[in-house]
Amino acid sequence: MLVFAASDKGGTGRSVTSANLAYRSALAGDDVCFLDFDFGSPTATAVFDLPADDLDVRGTGLHSYLRGMVGAPHRVDVWTRTEHPDLRDRPSGSGRLVLFPGDRSGGEFVTGDEQLHRCVDLVQRLHREFDLIVVDLSAGRSYAMDLALEATAPHGGLDRLKCRWLVFHRWTHQHVRAAAELTFGERGILRAGEARRHRTEELSGSIRFIRAAVPDLDSPLWSQVTPSQYAWLRQCDRRLERLAAELGIGESRVLASIPLEPVLQWQERLITDADVLDRRIAGQETLVSLGELARRLYDDSYWGEL
């Protein structure tokens, strides 16, 4: 399966949540690879807590590969290279977890036929090796997104792969509108897909939304607010639900809602069972939500045109 993680804005939790999705899927036994196509800000190495020499990838990452500077991109076995204390010993029954980082000194760049052919060739090879390929795209209508749409279009080379799009947004008025515009707007995913001969109903059916940093007003985290604050927050939540429904990204199109997690506000990292059960620094609700996201990704009942 090929999964693209997209967002209209930065700061949506796209990269850290998609990294946790890859981690959770590997824990469940899938062989997973994570491609850091966030060309403007390739930071996945930090999320997976890799050592300094893996953080400083220059001249061998995905930027260099797509631009024809190397024959194969740098790859990192997360289980053997991570400095995360909970990941140093690969859990029994887990699948492979491999990161393909971007170049640290890279940036956004124009893509053409050469980059398309290199992208398709890489993903086809990885498809034979891994069960799940997670591609973290740059925010907005980027060159990385155009490359993904071109590669998965009819006769693009990846059109026969099962492909899913996850559009991330925070639970705010501005972010809800931005996610809808990225998907349905004049320059959004669907219009750009149509221009590349995608079937609109199929592409639409492959898109689901991830709400990140969603306050759970019934959790202990919010128990100390005043009654007036609580009433106002409830009112905001109801208004956001109505707005999301009006814009076509309501509850029926949401694959998962990730709670506002204090740990992730301070550090973009993998949330492990030990963080919740042993250290008690992360919320049980966050762990459950990430697990549901990984499970629903494969559950066909959550997909298809709505």
Side-chain angles (χ1 to χ4, degrees):
M1 182 186 293
L2 178 59
V3 175
F4 294 107
S7 67
D8 187 65
K9 297 179 176 296
T12 61
R14 182 198 70 246
S15 295
V16 68
T17 306
S18 56
N20 272 280
L21 168 62
Y23 168 59
R24 285 284 143 194
S25 298
L27 283 180
D30 291 328
D31 289 330
V32 182
C33 67
F34 187 97
L35 276 60
D36 193 348
F37 270 40
D38 186 353
F39 297 140
S41 180
T43 57
T45 48
V47 178
F48 287 104
D49 206 358
L50 297 175
D53 54 341
D54 285 318
L55 290 173
D56 194 27
V57 175
R58 299 175 188 267
T60 58
L62 285 169
H63 291 78
S64 297
Y65 167 75
L66 290 172
R67 298 174 76 173
M69 299 168 64
V70 291
H74 182 68
R75 65 161 64 193
V76 183
D77 185 317
V78 174
W79 295 127
T80 60
R81 293 291 295 166
T82 185
E83 295 182 335
H84 196 300
D86 299 337
L87 275 66
R88 287 173 181 164
D89 296 321
R90 177 174 171 177
S92 175
S94 64
R96 298 170 63 204
L97 182 57
V98 175
L99 168 66
F100 288 78
D103 289 271
R104 185 176 181 181
S105 58
E108 292 288 348
F109 58 93
V110 178
T111 57
D113 289 342
E114 180 183 358
Q115 287 71 42
L116 174 62
H117 294 153
R118 284 180 165 270
C119 175
V120 168
D121 181 67
L122 175 63
V123 173
Q124 285 178 336
R125 286 188 280 116
L126 294 178
H127 179 63
R128 294 190 289 269
E129 187 178 352
F130 295 93
D131 302 304
L132 175 64
I133 303 169
V134 179
V135 184
D136 182 30
L137 301 173
S138 303
R141 269 299 311 277
S142 62
Y143 292 119
M145 177 175 288
D146 289 341
L147 184 62
L149 287 167
E150 194 72 45
T152 55
H155 310 296
L158 303 179
D159 49 306
R160 295 190 178 184
L161 301 187
K162 179 180 282 189
C163 176
R164 288 177 172 170
W165 289 76
L166 303 180
V167 177
F168 290 77
H169 66 86
R170 294 175 68 91
W171 194 226
T172 71
H173 185 276
Q174 183 183 36
H175 279 263
V176 168
R177 287 193 176 278
E181 183 67 20
L182 178 67
T183 307
F184 305 112
E186 290 185 9
R187 299 186 66 251
I189 295 172
L190 293 181
R191 296 285 183 87
E194 290 172 1
R196 292 167 171 80
R197 305 176 307 283
H198 279 270
R199 293 183 61 184
T200 303
E201 63 276 11
E202 291 183 1
L203 182 56
S204 177
S206 71
I207 299 172
R208 289 295 178 271
F209 297 88
I210 309 295
R211 297 175 179 175
V214 179
D216 179 2
L217 299 181
D218 294 323
S219 70
L221 184 65
W222 298 94
S223 62
Q224 302 303 313
V225 300
T226 67
S228 296
Q229 289 174 319
Y230 185 83
W232 182 80
L233 290 169
R234 279 291 186 193
Q235 184 181 52
C236 288
D237 190 59
R238 288 193 294 268
R239 286 177 176 173
L240 283 171
E241 287 288 3
R242 288 196 297 269
L243 177 64
E246 291 169 1
L247 295 176
I249 65 172
E251 192 65 37
S252 63
R253 297 201 67 137
V254 173
L255 193 65
S257 292
I258 311 302
L260 180 64
E261 172 55 63
V263 168
L264 296 180
Q265 304 307 303
W266 289 97
Q267 184 179 15
E268 293 186 331
R269 56 175 286 166
L270 301 180
I271 299 295
T272 68
D273 291 6
D275 288 331
V276 176
L277 303 176
D278 298 334
R279 300 184 190 91
R280 299 186 180 182
I281 60 172
Q284 177 72 30
E285 299 83 2
T286 303
L287 194 65
V288 170
S289 296
L290 292 170
E292 288 180 348
L293 171 57
R295 178 180 59 81
R296 291 173 179 177
L297 186 68
Y298 291 95
D299 189 341
D300 289 339
S301 68
Y302 286 93
W303 298 86
E305 178 62 17
L306 294 175

